[in-house]
Every structure is written in structure tokens, then in C-alpha cells.
Amino acid sequence: MFRLLLVFALALSGTSVWAQCASDDEIVQFVDDYVQKQPAKALNAGGSMDDALCTQAKLAKALEPHMGPVVGYKAGLTSKPAQDRFKVSEPVQGVLYRDMMLENGAELPAGWGTRPVFESDLILVVGDAAINQATTVTETMAHISTVHPFMELPDLTLAKGEPITGVTLTAMGVGPRLGVLGAGIPVTNSAEMEQALADMQVTLRAADGEVLVEVPGKAVMGHPVNSVLWLMSKGIELKPGDMVSVGSFGPLFPPVKDKGGASVTYTGLPGNPSVSVVFK
């Protein structure tokens, strides 16, 4: 997986081989700050997206001893408001680590990260390598094996005053820290699941029942599967078992607003599943 990330970072264009990766010392310092949950200095501030992708691959390798291996990818800034906020014209790509995944109902301290936030999300699991030839939502859906409710708990990580841009977010892998992973829903009929993903209502609630966000599945790039297509369009080659986080179905919230916890419900998916987390 890391090899694919590195190849991808170096193969985006003819000039990508000259991308300016963060130095070894910068990576070591970032990893130390990340592990200790200390505010970190931005990587590749003022650099290019090619620089950021090179750094992301290097950082992923350095974080593996702490986070486990990379098990998939994430699309971030998948909504127009989010893109406008960070002054980008398209989403950004990051990575998912094995050990960031928590069971439904997990209990965490409110300060699980340096600058913790939470969001409603969704994970699609790749069924077979033929997905890499897909060019439409329908074709892609035929190669998804399971759909998982997922509440991501990202960490913006950077110290106050450090630039949070598309480039610096990409360099650090788009803020992975933790995530609550629900049980997989098998895709037994891809056409029906494709429609369900578009029509479902995704509702993020605080522990006291207050609705924080309620949007249709189409809120993510017109259809959640478009996140997979976008990642593949950037050169990522998926393999069976890879997880893909499709991106947030609304804004990110700091834990101060969750009133002790949060839950996400996916009304319209089989069984109307939900995931929840408790902050102590």
C-alpha cells in the first residue's frame, strides 16, 4: 500500500519526480508531535500538491509503527463550502490506517487529538481489482463488496497560526486519527445499493438528540461512489479489501458541541444502521 502511495506521488506528472518532500527531520518532528498530541508545524506550507503527495507517502511509512499499516484512502473536502473554505477547486486525498478504526459505541476522552473534530462519513470496501476499470457510478458500485457506517474523528493537528490549506492537509494525510466503524452491509444487489446510497438520509446527532446535520447521500459529490471515482482519477489503484472513506456529509464539529457523544444514522440503507461514540 505504501509503495502504491509513493509511486502515485512520483507519477502524477512528468515533473512530479522533482517534488520537494518534507525532510527526514521534519517528518520525525511531525510524527513525535502527532504521537504526543502536541500542536505540529505544517508540512509543505507554500509548496505544491505534488510536494504534499510526496510528503504524505513518506509520512505514512513513518506513522505505520504507531497507526498500523495503511488500509485505504479517504477523500476530503468533498463539498463546495469546504473547498471554498480551504481555497481548493477539488477534493483532497488522504489515507486510512488499520489501528484508527474503533468499534461502534467506543468511549473516548473528549481530547482524543490535538485539534479533534468529528463528522458523518461512510466507508466503501473494494470487492475486486476490476474496479480500477470502472468509469461510472454504476460500474464502480458493481465492484463494492460492503458498505460501512463510519463516523470519522479527524485531528487537524496543526498549531495555531500554521496554515491549514489543501496542500498542508494533503501532506499530513488529511488529518487521520480515529474513526468509529460500523458493521459491514453486504452489497447483494449493486443497483439497489446504488439507489439507496443516493436517497438515504444521513443524520448526525449529539448525545442529547440534537440534530447537527441532516443531508441526503447525494450531498457528497452527487453520489458517495463519486469519491471512489475521483480517487481513481488521481492515479490510485485500488485492490480487494481497500477501504474508501467517501468524505463528510456535512461540516466538522469540535467535541465541545457533542454534549457527551454523537451518533450517525443512515435512514434508507438496509436496517437503517447507525454508529455512535461516547466522549468522557
Side-chain angles (χ1 to χ4, degrees):
M1 182 68 71
F2 170 70
R3 182 183 64 81
L4 289 177
L5 280 168
L6 184 57
V7 169
F8 168 54
L10 297 178
L12 274 175
S13 70
T15 60
S16 294
V17 292
W18 306 113
Q20 297 296 308
C21 277
S23 69
D24 291 349
D25 287 345
E26 288 173 323
I27 293 292
V28 168
Q29 185 62 58
F30 187 93
V31 170
D32 185 61
D33 290 337
Y34 179 89
V35 171
Q36 298 299 324
K37 299 179 185 175
Q38 297 296 319
K41 182 176 177 59
L43 300 172
N44 292 120
S48 71
M49 191 59 76
D50 285 358
D51 299 338
L53 288 167
C54 185
T55 293
Q56 182 185 117
K58 191 173 181 179
L59 179 62
K61 187 65 174 178
L63 280 173
E64 279 190 1
H66 309 282
M67 299 288 286
V70 171
V71 294
Y73 304 90
K74 57 185 293 191
L77 309 185
T78 51
S79 69
K80 186 64 165 57
Q83 291 171 19
D84 290 343
R85 176 183 175 186
F86 292 97
K87 299 180 180 178
V88 297
S89 58
E90 64 177 349
V92 292
Q93 66 186 72
V95 292
L96 302 172
Y97 297 93
R98 182 193 65 198
D99 297 345
M100 66 181 280
M101 300 299 174
L102 306 173
E103 293 184 358
N104 191 9
E107 295 186 358
L108 294 171
W112 71 83
T114 308
R115 295 177 64 181
V117 289
F118 63 93
E119 64 181 23
S120 50
D121 201 331
L122 188 78
I123 278 183
L124 306 176
V125 177
V126 175
D128 59 82
I131 196 172
N132 294 291
Q133 281 69 57
T135 59
T136 67
V137 168
T138 297
E139 290 174 359
T140 305
M141 195 70 237
H143 303 288
I144 298 296
S145 61
T146 55
V147 175
H148 291 255
F150 183 57
M151 186 192 312
E152 190 175 3
L153 309 172
D155 188 352
L156 298 180
T157 304
L158 303 182
K160 290 184 178 180
E162 290 293 305
I164 302 180
T165 66
V167 168
T168 60
L169 280 171
T170 299
M172 66 179 179
V174 194
R177 175 68 76 173
L178 296 169
V180 180
L181 185 67
I185 305 168
V187 180
T188 56
N189 184 312
S190 62
E192 289 182 359
M193 184 62 80
E194 177 185 338
Q195 192 63 52
L197 287 171
D199 295 342
M200 67 181 178
Q201 285 294 120
V202 180
T203 307
L204 175 65
R205 291 184 173 89
D208 65 353
E210 178 190 359
V211 174
L212 303 176
V213 178
E214 187 167 50
V215 295
K218 295 176 182 177
V220 169
M221 299 183 73
H223 194 288
V225 172
N226 277 322
S227 291
V228 182
L229 282 163
W230 181 81
L231 287 166
M232 293 192 299
S233 78
K234 295 302 175 181
I236 289 179
E237 184 174 351
L238 298 170
K239 68 178 189 300
D242 279 349
M243 294 180 170
V244 176
S245 162
V246 304
S248 179
F249 288 91
L252 284 66
F253 292 89
V256 69
K257 292 187 178 182
D258 62 34
K259 300 179 182 178
S263 65
V264 185
T265 303
Y266 304 80
T267 304
L269 287 187
N272 298 325
S274 66
V275 288
S276 64
V277 65
V278 175
F279 301 127
K280 300 188 294 182

